[in-house]
Amino acid sequence: MDIPRIFNITESAHRIHNPFSPEKLATLGAALRLESGARVLDLGSGSGEMLCTWAHDHGIIGIGVDISQLFTEQAKLRAEELGVTDKVKFIHGDAAGYVSDEKVNVAACVGATWIAGGVAGTIELLSQSLLTGGIILIGEPYWRQLPLTEDVARGCLANSISDFLMLPELLASFNRVGCDVIEMVLANQDDWDRYEAAKWLTMRRWLEANPNDEFAKDVRVKLTSEPERYATYTREYLGWGVFALMLR
């Protein structure tokens, strides 16, 4: 059970597996007015930066579930580094369908809503773990500007234009499924640069260390093409943010 190998390679040096800076993550934690002892569930927890830093800074108790064995191990190491192993637990497993044994104050899926077939399904899944009056966090892309053609959408690694909404439409979609939007923290192009461009050095270093690996050809193709693709498409067209919701 794991994610495709290319992600374990390209994002192996990432602490945050989304276009979000440590400062934005801290801003989000402060904006939610987290209290010590609050329970947080993170589905698709990656390398655990959100739970670990919030445990350190706010005293939350967290459980993270992620399908990447590498990222899960990195999350455990990060918990040790920040001295919060008594506050956070990381599970290597499929987050799809995961429901917490104990209800939580905050239920999050930040950048992995495919685990439940999209935003609406993920909100429904997270709500099953949520205390009454709790907060749902959804991390999701949106169009900064609407692509004029399907080829542009595919250049942003979407399947089609319909995969994402413009920001006002995304906010309206939360309303339609019975949620109040109570906060949002949005990525900017610098955040995208740090997320995407950091992969390029990681790929180059991996290629230097693994020249005879059977996967090296694929990594080489990706490293050669990604800077131009990213600058042409994703950087100009795609936004990303974390949206805090409460069920009505």
Side-chain angles (χ1 to χ4, degrees):
M1 181 185 297
D2 212 330
I3 58 175
R5 190 182 181 196
I6 189 63
F7 297 109
N8 277 327
I9 292 173
T10 60
E11 299 192 28
S12 60
H14 282 53
R15 281 185 173 171
I16 301 172
H17 301 279
N18 291 298
F20 222 43
S21 67
E23 293 77 17
K24 293 280 178 71
L25 201 56
T27 295
L28 178 63
L32 296 178
R33 307 171 196 174
L34 295 168
E35 296 182 359
S36 180
R39 300 188 65 83
V40 181
L41 173 67
D42 188 9
L43 299 185
S45 50
S47 295
E49 191 71 2
M50 185 175 81
L51 291 182
C52 289
T53 55
W54 288 1
H56 180 271
D57 295 343
H58 302 285
I60 64 100
I61 306 299
I63 297 177
V65 184
D66 199 275
I67 200 169
S68 169
Q69 185 170 353
L70 172 64
F71 298 165
T72 303
E73 291 304 314
Q74 289 178 336
K76 294 175 180 177
L77 292 174
R78 184 62 168 153
E80 292 178 5
E81 181 182 358
L82 293 182
V84 294
T85 55
D86 59 330
K87 290 183 171 63
V88 293
K89 175 183 179 182
F90 294 100
I91 300 168
H92 173 230
D94 190 353
Y98 185 91
V99 177
S100 177
D101 292 335
E102 185 173 351
K103 298 289 187 179
V104 299
N105 303 93
V106 179
C109 181
V110 178
T113 57
W114 60 80
I115 66 170
V119 169
T122 301
I123 290 172
E124 170 61 27
L125 173 60
L126 293 172
S127 69
Q128 296 177 51
S129 298
L130 197 66
L131 286 164
T132 301
I135 295 172
I136 289 172
L137 295 181
I138 294 289
E140 186 72 3
Y142 58 88
W143 293 121
R144 294 180 62 240
Q145 54 178 314
L146 196 65
L148 296 178
T149 68
E150 295 292 349
D151 283 344
V152 172
R154 286 188 286 269
C156 297
L157 305 183
N159 293 313
S160 70
I161 296 172
S162 62
D163 278 6
F164 308 126
L165 301 171
M166 297 290 286
L167 180 58
E169 295 166 348
L170 178 58
L171 295 173
S173 75
F174 296 137
N175 182 60
R176 287 195 296 270
V177 295
C179 293
D180 291 324
V181 181
I182 60 164
E183 257 292 358
M184 68 180 187
V185 180
L186 304 181
N188 59 28
Q189 287 179 308
D190 288 340
D191 299 325
W192 272 109
D193 290 348
R194 298 287 21 93
Y195 172 58
E196 292 288 349
K199 300 176 186 178
W200 309 337
L201 178 58
T202 300
M203 283 190 280
R204 178 57 189 258
R205 293 291 186 241
W206 185 91
L207 285 168
E208 291 170 351
N210 300 275
N212 299 317
D213 191 289
E214 62 181 11
F215 202 54
K217 183 182 294 186
D218 298 273
V219 176
R220 163 43 63 192
V221 168
K222 193 169 185 68
L223 174 56
T224 301
S225 62
E226 271 299 284
E228 182 179 354
R229 183 209 63 78
Y230 165 67
T232 302
Y233 297 109
T234 300
R235 194 175 195 274
E236 297 304 313
Y237 286 91
L238 206 57
W240 193 88
V242 182
F243 305 88
L245 316 172
M246 292 183 71
L247 299 169
R248 289 199 290 271

